[in-house]
Amino acid sequence: MNHPRIVVIGSANIDLVTRVPRAPKPGESLIGRSFATITGGKGANQAVAAARLGAKTLFAGCVGADAFGAMQRQSMSEAGVDVSRLKMHPSEPTGTAVILVADTGENVIVITPAANYGLTPEDIAALEPDLDGADAVLLQLEIPLETVEAALAAARRRGVVSILDAGPAQQVPERLVAWADIVSPNETEAEAMTGIRVETLADARRAASALRAMGAAHVVLKLGARGAYYLGDREMHAPPFRVKPVDTTAAGDAFTAALAAAWGRMPVEAALRFANAAGALATTVAGAQPSMPTRAAVEAMLRDGPQET
Ligand code: RIB
């Protein structure tokens, strides 16, 4: 099988990660267990994941002229990502994410986009020819919405499948949902977009139907420990792989990148299973980019289990 070509347009952050026994209550001070500075950002994580999964990957984003920006450039380059479209902001620092990871593996994240907001619709116009022949364009919501909109329009003009990972949670104009070929939120993001709280598979069906009514051709809901739910011309639930999570940060990014690498190359059911395996593997390693799995690891998981339940 030839390698997919994927273009990721999005954020590159440095994650400032403190491990805590549990999330603090408002006004409470907690003693952390450890602290680490780790490469992250939904866009950059997805680019690293796509490259590790064997895709020829181009990343477009914007970092600051600082040590964090250099860290990010190095991490993506080492993973094999083409960073020729990674800009350097003249004044803003590299984006950061302050992350608390509890002993359960669950996290809370606060992002300061900074240089990420320097990626403009003009940058998309300049890179549009790079989209020709790509298998997929991956977008998230940590860069300006007008840049996301320009990228979705460019993908449509060039006949490239676009996948909108709807994180972090926010209300988005309906046209963004309509212009993306695949819309892929998690439960919180789906609620922000539709107003429907997603706690059960029936809720997932309702939220996905609402996104379809806004114009999304394909909806892939990331349900974490409940797997994934697909609604397009048919519906499907892909059960999760049971693993013991260490850190759930960027599991959704691994899922989205794997979905992009598999889409159109295997039946939807197999693509969801491939993405679920990548997401589950990402939870077994601490940190965002360090946890993005290789294709060999995903294939081993699909072959040898643990099986889905
Ligand atoms: O999806 C996880 C990512 O969200 C983190 O790496 C953090 O940087 C934020 O962008």
Side-chain angles (χ1 to χ4, degrees):
M1 178 152 87
N2 64 346
H3 296 274
R5 198 163 83 72
I6 293 177
V7 179
V8 183
I9 301 172
S11 59
N13 297 330
I14 293 299
D15 295 348
L16 309 171
V17 186
T18 302
R19 302 257 356 172
V20 285
R22 56 172 173 79
K25 299 182 195 115
E28 184 187 22
S29 295
L30 274 185
I31 305 259
R33 296 197 191 284
S34 64
F35 173 79
T37 305
I38 303 173
T39 45
K42 293 186 191 308
N45 296 343
Q46 290 174 22
V48 166
R52 290 201 184 135
L53 292 169
K56 202 168 172 308
T57 308
L58 172 69
F59 177 76
C62 186
V63 291
D66 49 25
F68 282 176
M71 252 173 94
Q72 192 55 258
R73 191 177 294 272
Q74 183 178 349
S75 173
M76 280 195 276
S77 299
E78 281 174 4
V81 176
D82 176 349
V83 290
S84 57
R85 293 284 182 184
L86 176 60
K87 280 175 50 173
M88 202 180 269
H89 200 289
S91 52
E92 286 290 327
T94 299
T96 49
V98 172
I99 304 183
L100 300 181
V101 183
D103 285 348
T104 54
E106 287 169 316
N107 61 39
V108 286
I109 305 182
V110 178
I111 298 152
T112 306
N116 288 302
Y117 277 3
L119 192 71
T120 63
E122 291 71 41
D123 295 318
I124 303 304
L127 72 73
E128 186 170 330
D130 292 338
L131 301 186
D132 278 341
D135 291 85
V137 176
L138 276 181
L139 292 147
Q140 322 76 34
L141 301 175
E142 290 181 344
I143 56 172
L145 287 188
E146 60 266 26
T147 307
V148 174
E149 192 171 333
L152 288 171
R156 192 143 278 206
R157 274 194 296 277
R158 301 279 166 166
V160 180
V161 171
S162 57
I163 304 181
L164 179 63
D165 176 310
Q170 57 194 279
Q171 269 192 316
V172 295
E174 281 198 20
R175 62 181 178 282
L176 290 196
V177 174
W179 288 2
D181 293 303
I182 304 171
V183 177
S184 184
N186 65 19
E187 297 106 315
T188 325
E189 293 151 7
E191 182 177 350
M193 294 166 96
T194 64
I196 297 166
R197 197 175 178 83
V198 180
E199 284 172 342
T200 63
L201 274 183
D203 299 335
R205 180 181 296 119
R206 270 196 298 280
S209 301
L211 290 167
R212 289 264 292 161
M214 290 180 202
H218 304 273
V219 178
V220 179
L221 288 185
K222 293 179 277 242
L223 301 176
R226 280 194 296 273
Y229 173 81
Y230 168 80
L231 188 65
D233 45 13
R234 60 214 159 102
E235 82 171 336
M236 206 175 288
H237 172 238
F241 287 86
R242 291 278 166 222
V243 289
K244 195 165 170 359
V246 171
D247 179 359
T248 56
T249 308
D253 298 329
F255 178 100
T256 304
L259 184 71
W263 191 259
R265 292 172 171 256
M266 47 181 94
V268 174
E269 193 171 1
L272 293 181
R273 200 167 168 254
F274 187 79
N276 268 348
L281 280 167
T283 69
T284 63
V285 178
Q289 283 171 35
S291 73
M292 298 296 96
T294 61
R295 177 169 283 267
V298 173
E299 284 172 352
M301 175 92 147
L302 291 170
R303 199 178 50 238
D304 305 329
Q307 289 311 307
E308 304 99 308
T309 52

